[in-house]
């Protein structure tokens, strides 16, 4: 609303803000009590957790965020930490990459990794690539779409009718 006031578009800014707040509330209010354990990985080699606003987005989308902490920086992590956290779902979101680049990097570095392939999430085919460049890496209005993408991944039954952009996420098989 501050920017709207500065540029003389206060009413329009208020409308946009209210719409975005409604989208956030809609996601928060439609999650179910069962919270799968979710690990978001911001970089593959070496592994980095997704920090900053991503842990809060995972929580709001109905997941139990693993390893990273709301508001803290992304940090390096080991395969041992990943194994110990026993995630139900892993979301690959390398900073600046789109969905297809993420899958390409995944195929090069993790597809044949024995330790990685022992993870429950990998065995259950609950690994997802997201378009981090468009919806997660930079704080903007588009992170609201990112929240909706996470909701579709984390609690798909609750968000069957929620539309998100094509190829904004893909299941890695």
């Amino acid at each position: 609303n501050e920017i709207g006031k500065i540029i003389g578009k206060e009413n329009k800014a208020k409308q946009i803000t209210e719409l975005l707040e409604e989208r956030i509330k809609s996601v928060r209010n439609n999650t179910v009590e069962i919270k799968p354990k979710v690990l978001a990985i911001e970089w593959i080699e070496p592994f980095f957790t997704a920090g900053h606003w991503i842990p809060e987005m995972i929580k709001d989308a109905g997941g139990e965020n693993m390893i990273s902490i709301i508001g803290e920086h992304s940090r390096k992590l080991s395969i041992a930490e990943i194994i110990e956290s026993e995630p139900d779902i892993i979301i690959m979101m390398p900073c600046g990459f789109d969905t297809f680049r993420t899958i390409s990097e995944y195929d090069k570095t993790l597809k044949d990794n024995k330790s990685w392939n022992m993870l429950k999430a990998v065995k259950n085919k609950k690994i997802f690539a997201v378009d981090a460049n468009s919806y997660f890496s930079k704080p903007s209005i588009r992170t609201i779409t990112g929240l909706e993408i996470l909701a579709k991944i984390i609690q798909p039954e609750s968000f069957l009718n929620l539309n998100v952009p094509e190829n904004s996420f893909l299941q890695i098989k």
Side-chain angles (χ1 to χ4, degrees), residues 21-172:
E21 287 171 353
E22 282 303 313
R23 288 171 63 193
I24 293 168
K25 282 182 200 168
S26 177
V27 169
R28 285 180 181 155
N29 293 338
N30 286 300
T31 62
V32 295
E33 288 301 310
I34 299 166
K35 311 268 185 231
K37 296 192 305 186
V38 179
L39 177 61
I41 296 180
E42 188 177 282
W43 201 249
I44 298 174
E45 197 172 56
F47 288 118
F48 266 77
T49 64
H52 306 283
W53 50 88
I54 301 298
E56 185 172 7
M57 290 173 72
I58 289 169
K59 180 178 155 264
D60 288 347
E64 178 188 346
N65 182 66
M66 304 308 296
I67 300 177
S68 57
I69 296 168
I70 293 172
E72 288 193 358
H73 295 291
S74 302
R75 69 167 178 83
K76 196 173 180 178
L77 75 152
S78 67
I79 188 72
E81 283 181 279
I82 295 171
I83 292 167
E84 188 176 308
S85 73
E86 297 181 328
D88 298 308
I89 299 169
I90 299 174
I91 301 171
M92 309 301 291
M93 52 175 56
C95 187
F97 287 7
D98 67 14
T99 313
F100 300 106
R101 173 78 189 274
T102 298
I103 292 172
S104 172
E105 293 299 319
Y106 180 94
D107 286 346
K108 283 187 226 171
T109 58
L110 290 175
K111 191 175 185 178
D112 298 320
N113 181 299
K114 286 181 184 176
S115 296
W116 179 262
N117 286 311
M118 295 300 292
L119 293 167
K120 175 175 57 173
V122 177
K123 288 179 184 178
N124 292 335
K125 297 183 180 10
K126 295 288 187 175
I127 310 293
F128 296 87
V130 298
D131 184 348
N133 189 50
S134 296
Y135 305 106
F136 298 96
S137 298
K138 302 172 275 264
S140 74
I141 290 174
R142 295 185 95 189
T143 57
I144 307 306
T145 303
L147 174 64
E148 294 167 338
I149 292 165
L150 290 177
K152 284 196 72 80
I153 292 170
I154 296 168
Q155 297 207 1
E157 300 84 17
S158 298
F159 296 97
L160 287 173
N161 296 321
L162 178 64
N163 292 315
V164 296
E166 188 175 356
N167 298 321
S168 57
F169 77 95
L170 293 170
Q171 188 172 11
I172 299 175

